[in-house]
Amino acid sequence: MNSTTPLAVGDHPHIRIDEGLDLDCGVHLAPIDVAYCTYGTLSARRDNAILICHAFTGDQYVAEQHPLTGKPGWWSSMVGPGKPIDTDRFFVICSNVLGGCMGTTGPRSVRTDSDGDGQELWGTAFPPITIRDMVRAQYKLVRALGIDRLFAVIGGSMGGMQVLEWTVTYPHMMLAAMPIATAPFHSAQNIAFNEVGRQAIIADPDWLAGRYWQAGVVPARGLAVARMMAHITYLSEEALTRKFGRRVRRGPNQGSAPEGPVSLFGDIFEVESYLRYQGSSFVRRFDANSYLTITRAMDWFDIAADHDGEMRAAFIGTPVRFCVVSFSSDWLFPTSSARVLLRALNQAAANVSFVEIETDKGHDAFLLEEPGFDRTVRGFLCGVAEHAGLN
Amino acid sequence: MRLDQRLIAQMIEPRTRVLDIGSGDGSLIDHLFRSRGCDARGIELNMQLVTRSVAHGLPVMHGDADHDLAHYPDHAFDYVVLQRTLQAVENPREVLRQMLRIGRHAIVSFPNFGHWQLRLKLLFSGRMPMTAVWHTPWYETPNIHPCTIRDFLELCRQDGYIVEQWMAVDEEGERAPWRRSIRLANLFGEQALFLLRRRGA
């Protein structure tokens, strides 16, 4: 893993927003770049746009081959012609989040503010950001695309947090919202998992106090460990058992695991091999300082915090039609946390649909093909279109 | 849509806000939206029916009458509907109270335990009656709070609810001709249907 070279910055389609953003922390960040992808065609009345908010380690490449990994888009089962989010009908936008590392301004961007000389990268000097800051950047993009009101905002996990933040910050900017596998605040358990990930990165000698890019290295081992740990939280015990059980991969193959700790017996369990692969492929596409910045933004997320601790106050009078989805085996964002959100939405008499999808695939289920989930997304969007007279 | 659902729909003014508790496959709220322009939403306990409803574009959430009504604010709806479920909830009196807190009107239907067949079966066989309407044996019935039409009217009187309309219908939902006499309705009606409002509402 130590041989991993620094990330290729690459050129991702983006817009530059010269006036920048006022961040929650008080810093004015300008200019900013927002990298994004679109699919489908914006209608003449500009009323068919759906914004998709990606999860923590996702990016804007929703439904096309990823330029770095060569893999299919992370939600290509959901988004495309004839898919539940049908690009023959809707104009789909997805942007890389603020603080990310796939073209939107973040810790790996060149620092162009008055303190920077245009040569340095932001690194750990990048200001702390919030989920709302991410949403503000998306809002600027949406307006720059000439869209006054979105048809829907959809996202899972951290994407779902952004969806909720959209409904609270810009309630009149959308007809419908789908927060999926998410929660109205980050739980102590989730903050704890994030902290383990951060400590793994910081403890890597190659992190170099956040200035690893100057030395031309990346804290690959720390970042991989963070990813391996996080990946376990995205699955479920049933899913791990079904996929790997206690199967062992015999000695000779073990050499192919790059510099992993040597097994006492020269053999490794398949689940170990899988996690190592997840870790090592992750460091090729994700920046360690982005990891620190974004996990911190998730930790600070709490919809009620801006309303004196009263979550329902955030939603009173909301015109948005909500569809909340949870997954039965998701223990990272369990159905019980969706119900906290639902209670607040009911207290505000909001228009809410809520489905818990039965699955053993854990948190990651929202990224995988789940027939009940696909039908829910498709049907909900059709229903919203019908109510809005958009057929 | 069942005939008794048609009778319920006729009680509901167009373009009002409706909450259907136990919305099933969503046919009532679908009808209310399409033909009456209502903002109609549902709560349903059976997750398969919830998914089916949402997949049909209907605003339905998973939940139940006993636990989820308390969260809604006062007067959030014009009508709150509970079809054929009152006898199966944990606390019927509280559910009714919540319905008339969050809604201006409550529409309640329930199977009438005062029906003559039930009375005769209990009298002559000495065993829990089983009929087309009451068809599950006592040890597995979800209907833990059966009541008669007269019982229900007594509860409405005690809790100060005004009966705006009532009717007794047979199992298929045909309106039955005992509208003048509650005693006859209580003897011959298989299902009872009430439109209530709170005193002063």
Side-chain angles (χ1 to χ4, degrees), chain A residues 56-114:
Chain A
F56 169 27
T57 62
D59 52 45
Q60 67 273 36
Y61 296 101
V62 178
E64 65 194 270
Q65 196 187 42
H66 196 281
L68 284 187
T69 65
K71 288 185 179 164
W74 58 269
W75 225 11
S76 37
S77 59
M78 185 61 78
V79 181
K83 299 281 170 66
I85 300 174
D86 187 351
T87 53
D88 286 339
R89 181 177 189 189
F90 296 112
F91 178 64
V92 174
I93 309 161
C94 183
S95 66
N96 186 214
V97 293
L98 189 68
C101 49
M102 212 53 76
T104 295
T105 300
R108 217 189 51 195
S109 304
V110 174
R111 188 172 179 178
T112 46
D113 69 339
S114 51

Side-chain angles (χ1 to χ4, degrees), chain A residues 153-170:
Chain A
V153 184
I154 302 174
S157 196
M158 187 184 83
M161 294 177 175
Q162 295 162 64
V163 172
L164 292 175
E165 195 66 65
W166 263 95
T167 66
V168 171
T169 308
Y170 305 110

Side-chain angles (χ1 to χ4, degrees), chain A residues 113-128:
Chain A
D113 69 339
S114 51
D115 296 337
D117 56 9
Q119 303 296 316
E120 276 245 312
L121 303 189
W122 274 104
T124 49
F126 191 73

Side-chain angles (χ1 to χ4, degrees), chain B residues 147-166:
Chain B
C147 73
T148 70
I149 290 176
R150 290 184 64 202
D151 289 327
F152 185 77
L153 281 166
E154 175 58 19
L155 179 63
C156 291
R157 194 192 59 76
Q158 275 181 39
D159 287 357
Y161 307 138
I162 295 165
V163 178
E164 288 198 328
Q165 277 187 57
W166 68 271

